[in-house]
Amino acid sequence: MTTPARIFSSDNAAGASPEIVEAVTRAAAGQARPYGADDLTVGVRRRLGEIFEREVDVLLVSSGTAANALSLAALTPPWGSVLCHRDSHINNDECGAPEFYTAGAKLVPLGGEDAKIDPEELRAAVRHKAGDVHSVEPSVVSLTQATETGAVYTLDEIGTLGSLAREAGLRLHMDGARFAGAVAALGRTPAELTWRTGVDLLSFGATKNGTMTADAIVVFDRSLTPELSFRAKRAGQLASKMRFHAAQLDAYLTDGLWLRNAAHANTMAARLQDGLKALPEVDLLGVADANIVFCRLPRQITEGLLGEGYVFYHDRWEPGVTRFVTSFATTRADVDGLLEAVRRYAG
């Protein structure tokens, strides 16, 4: 009998989908042109164009941090500002990479429930000291989809924020580290959730959802591609054997694997959320639209789980607050094992 997995700290803990491992093995045979001129990389660009229902440019990178930082650098001058949620990944978890790659642009954190930017706060921020040479210039809005709390921006919410950005002359970036989870949760098309609501650049995450080392920047405003290409090379993100990144994304996008993986992760989070909801000792925080569940646990439950070898974030945000993350590889047995342990220590 397989022992249930006990790492719920991040979907990065999961391995890779078998289809993706097989694709990398196939790509290792023979020769291919380097630096993204290979057939696989060209094919991924074409496939993403089909998925997003328009011509796009695509830069394959090795991490979400690289995708975010390079995208923001292409959208923001050094004297500009990036308007983002205070709980966003770019604000809290990228070690200043956006500031570094933009050569000093300032991140301006905004509030809002469920880690979604509040429209009224954005309405004020896009105009704040605009044109004032003594201040940073509002330049780009960055949305995280799905958010860091597992919530998902609806189509209307993206449209509202996108309109506020466009009316003020700002660009719109989307950190889509868990974009597949948002698409699966909403049942809307990738096009509707991005360029049709004004998104200029998308950080298209895949490593949290089944690939090994490959994420991408999807470029809707193709006038940005030349600058992005130079920035990617300068940042060490133009891989000489790009076909190995491309092989992963090609398999990821084939036959809807990316959406199946995300839908499964979402389903496992919903199962976990439902199980926790039934326990009076546990307070759920927010709603898990995608694959992240936040809750407040009594100390004895947290200590009991840690003692059994469970791995999860706790007390990082405030005492008692815990985050559990499911993935494409999480099984029902994994979730049920965690719930059984929580019940045991709940007494």
Side-chain angles (χ1 to χ4, degrees):
M1 181 175 174
T2 303
T3 302
R6 297 190 175 187
I7 301 180
F8 286 87
S9 55
S10 174
D11 31 16
N12 288 326
S17 292
E19 299 91 333
I20 289 167
V21 177
E22 292 166 8
V24 171
T25 300
R26 288 194 300 271
Q31 294 182 312
R33 296 174 67 185
Y35 300 112
D38 60 280
D39 291 341
L40 276 171
T41 303
V42 173
V44 165
R45 186 180 304 115
R46 182 172 58 250
R47 192 183 294 275
L48 282 167
E50 293 167 357
I51 287 171
F52 285 98
E53 303 175 53
R54 62 171 289 169
E55 279 194 67
V56 297
D57 287 327
V58 178
L59 287 83
L60 306 186
V61 294
S62 61
S63 72
T65 296
N68 284 338
L70 290 171
S71 294
L72 293 172
L75 295 171
T76 317
W79 55 89
S81 65
V82 178
L83 308 180
C84 60
H85 196 277
R86 60 173 173 255
D87 293 329
S88 64
H89 201 272
I90 61 172
N91 191 47
N92 292 320
D93 295 289
E94 292 186 341
C95 196
E99 294 92 333
F100 176 77
Y101 280 97
T102 59
K106 184 175 182 178
L107 271 61
V108 175
L110 306 176
E113 295 296 317
D114 297 319
K116 299 178 184 179
I117 294 175
D118 178 81
E120 293 309 310
E121 287 202 30
L122 183 62
R123 189 185 306 277
V126 296
R127 303 290 183 187
H128 183 66
K129 293 191 176 181
D132 183 344
V133 74
H134 300 284
S135 178
V136 289
E137 181 74 1
S139 300
V140 61
V141 177
S142 182
L143 309 181
T144 308
Q145 179 75 313
T147 75
E148 292 297 305
T149 66
V152 168
Y153 281 100
T154 66
L155 186 61
D156 287 344
E157 288 170 334
I158 301 170
T160 296
L161 297 173
S163 293
L164 289 171
R166 284 194 303 277
E167 289 166 7
L170 276 66
R171 299 296 202 126
L172 187 60
H173 164 256
M174 180 173 283
D175 175 358
R178 295 183 175 92
F179 181 72
V183 175
L186 290 170
R188 306 304 294 252
T189 69
E192 288 176 312
L193 296 173
T194 54
W195 63 271
R196 285 186 175 151
T197 47
V199 175
D200 295 298
L201 291 176
L202 168 69
S203 297
F204 184 76
T207 47
K208 296 180 186 298
N209 194 40
T211 66
M212 294 186 290
T213 58
D215 287 335
I217 301 171
V218 180
V219 186
F220 302 114
D221 180 352
R222 299 175 70 198
S223 69
L224 298 166
T225 302
E227 178 178 345
L228 273 167
S229 298
F230 281 103
R231 287 186 177 277
K233 172 61 180 179
R234 193 165 182 259
Q237 289 295 321
L238 179 62
S240 59
K241 296 185 179 180
M242 189 69 80
R243 68 184 183 275
F244 291 108
H245 284 346
Q248 295 175 61
L249 283 165
D250 181 66
Y252 182 67
L253 299 169
T254 296
D255 297 328
L257 176 63
W258 68 297
L259 293 178
R260 292 200 308 277
N261 279 1
H264 176 80
N266 291 356
T267 299
M268 292 300 100
R271 184 180 184 86
L272 176 58
Q273 182 175 239
D274 288 344
L276 293 172
K277 189 186 303 181
L279 300 175
E281 299 85 357
V282 178
D283 293 326
L284 287 173
L285 304 175
V287 59
D289 294 323
N291 65 319
I292 301 174
V293 178
F294 271 87
C295 61
R296 194 180 301 277
L297 294 181
R299 176 58 56 185
Q300 76 270 14
I301 296 179
T302 299
E303 291 178 351
L305 294 176
L306 294 172
E308 285 197 18
Y310 280 97
V311 180
F312 52 92
Y313 282 117
H314 59 94
D315 301 330
R316 188 182 188 216
W317 295 269
E318 58 181 272
V321 172
T322 294
R323 185 186 84 165
F324 296 114
V325 184
T326 56
S327 77
F328 73 93
T330 303
T331 66
R332 291 165 63 100
D334 297 337
V335 172
D336 293 347
L338 173 59
L339 288 170
E340 181 182 344
V342 171
R343 294 187 197 103
R344 190 161 57 249
Y345 292 109

